[in-house]
Amino acid sequence: MRYLSILLFLISTHCVVADEIRPRYLQLIADDANTFSVLWKLPSQYSSSTITPVFPISCESTQAEKIHQSNNTQVMQWQIFCPNGLISETLTIDGLKESNLDVLMRVQQINGSTQIQRLTATDLYFTVEPEVSKWRVVKVYTILGIEHILLGFDHLLFVFALLLIIKSKRRLLGAITAFTVAHSVTLALASLNLVLLPLPPVEAVIALSIVFLSVEIVHAQKGNPGIAENSPWLVAFSFGLLHGFGFAGALAEIGLPENAIPLSLLFFNVGVEIGQLAFIAFVLLISRLFAGYVSRRQKHVLLLSCAYMIGGLASFWVIERTVSFFV
């Protein structure tokens, strides 16, 4: 039937994701055993005086706060000195329970050991550990990968468009495999700083890739199948390379632990794949449930409607991301 109700669901989900689901970010990086550079990101609509990090009482600020605005986000930077270091100390966020926000917290020790944890209204405390276990790295980065793909509406919309174009399950499997291989390669290269591209243009071209698929859907429905239907693996692989740079941009914000770079990179990618496969399974399940209720003519109309909606939304993103790059 191909899936107008799912598309509407995803659009409504995106509206929520854009505002509240994306976690806020607190980062502490050790300059030495006792001194830490602090980075605190908070949505502009929230006051830094009502939602604020709480450090051990022995810690004191040694540098004035630097504050600037970036993409509707307050970005604050300063430095703290903790005479006893932070090992085994507990950190929290004052006002977090009342705000109902999530905060992603990252602490990197002088030896490169990195600990990441999400604080929520029901999980308010972060205890700094002397060494982070490999299991914790696996768990944290797998979850981050799953969350990133499920909240990455443009990546999901690209996969969704592929599902609309490809009719054969075998060809669909080949296209998804090609997409996975491609974005895994560029995710690794970009995360290891071997290949670097500026993120805003990459995001604009990712949106353009969705416009391309929407046009291909329209042509296919009018009896003029294009390269996306005839060689879906080639299209998926080519654009998958770009999507990998988009994944790397998200991963760059939280960083990789220096003592477990291959492991964290691997399981972030595993998380992305788990989320992607879960999305595909969900779409195919809904399609199967409703397939018997829609006529051939209705399927044609729904497919065209979906294509125009996808193309319209992606075109808006192209314009928005291009303008934001030059402004």
Side-chain angles (χ1 to χ4, degrees):
M1 121 174 178
R2 303 235 195 152
Y3 337 113
L4 182 58
S5 60
I6 301 173
L7 181 62
L8 294 172
F9 166 77
L10 289 172
I11 291 173
S12 66
T13 301
H14 170 68
C15 296
V16 176
V17 167
D19 275 336
E20 296 299 329
I21 295 181
R22 187 177 179 182
R24 279 26 71 179
Y25 187 57
L26 176 65
Q27 173 182 275
L28 289 88
I29 296 181
D31 299 315
D32 57 44
N34 305 105
T35 306
F36 295 83
S37 294
V38 181
L39 175 69
W40 174 222
K41 293 184 179 181
L42 189 67
S44 297
Q45 66 264 36
Y46 293 94
S47 169
S48 58
S49 62
T50 56
I51 305 174
T52 183
V54 178
F55 304 115
I57 195 168
S58 60
C59 297
E60 59 182 29
S61 297
T62 60
Q63 194 179 80
E65 243 180 43
K66 298 176 184 177
I67 304 175
H68 67 274
Q69 298 285 328
S70 175
N71 296 326
N72 297 318
T73 301
Q74 300 176 68
V75 181
M76 291 150 275
Q77 295 173 281
W78 69 98
Q79 197 175 68
I80 61 172
F81 175 77
C82 303
N84 303 316
L86 287 177
I87 300 297
S88 301
E89 296 285 2
T90 297
L91 313 178
T92 188
I93 306 291
D94 191 28
L96 185 62
K97 189 172 184 179
E98 293 75 17
S99 69
N100 203 33
L101 290 175
D102 289 356
V103 172
L104 190 66
M105 184 178 288
R106 177 176 186 259
V107 176
Q108 180 175 311
Q109 300 293 341
I110 194 66
N111 64 358
S113 174
T114 303
Q115 185 179 347
I116 295 177
Q117 183 175 322
R118 185 186 299 275
L119 300 188
T120 68
T122 57
D123 186 10
L124 293 169
Y125 300 100
F126 180 107
T127 301
V128 182
E129 300 173 357
E131 278 295 333
V132 182
S133 69
K134 290 183 179 181
W135 165 244
R136 181 179 287 274
V137 171
V138 168
K139 178 182 176 182
V140 167
Y141 278 87
T142 300
I143 292 172
L144 288 173
I146 293 171
E147 289 181 344
H148 177 68
I149 187 64
L150 292 182
L151 301 182
F153 190 64
D154 49 358
H155 300 297
L156 290 183
L157 202 57
F158 180 87
V159 174
F160 182 79
L162 283 177
L163 293 173
L164 294 180
I165 291 174
I166 304 170
K167 299 177 178 63
S168 162
K169 290 183 180 179
R170 182 179 63 83
R171 289 163 69 85
L172 175 61
L173 178 61
I176 295 302
T177 301
F179 182 67
T180 296
V181 170
H183 73 62
S184 298
V185 169
T186 47
L187 171 60
L189 292 175
S191 298
L192 297 174
N193 295 322
L194 297 176
V195 179
L196 297 176
L197 291 177
L199 188 57
V202 167
E203 290 182 332
V205 178
I206 287 173
L208 196 60
S209 72
I210 302 169
V211 175
F212 171 79
L213 287 185
S214 68
V215 172
E216 290 284 285
I217 295 170
V218 173
H219 286 168
Q221 289 303 302
K222 293 182 177 180
N224 300 307
I227 188 173
E229 185 167 345
N230 293 326
S231 301
W233 68 269
L234 180 60
V235 171
F237 184 85
S238 302
F239 287 125
L241 294 172
L242 280 169
H243 284 251
F245 285 111
F247 294 142
L251 187 57
E253 291 205 6
I254 58 174
L256 297 169
E258 291 184 12
N259 56 335
I261 289 177
L263 190 67
S264 54
L265 183 57
L266 170 64
F267 280 92
F268 180 83
N269 201 55
V270 167
V272 167
E273 293 317 307
I274 291 172
Q276 181 176 283
L277 292 174
F279 170 75
I280 292 170
F282 174 73
V283 172
L284 293 178
L285 174 62
I286 297 299
S287 173
R288 180 175 291 273
L289 289 175
F290 287 94
Y293 298 96
V294 182
S295 68
R296 184 182 296 271
R297 174 61 183 169
Q298 288 172 324
K299 287 179 183 179
H300 174 74
V301 172
L302 284 173
L303 270 171
L304 283 175
S305 300
C306 283
Y308 285 120
M309 291 176 68
I310 291 170
L313 182 58
S315 297
F316 169 75
W317 284 339
V318 172
I319 296 169
E320 179 189 45
R321 293 171 182 183
T322 302
V323 170
S324 66
F325 177 62
F326 289 104
V327 172

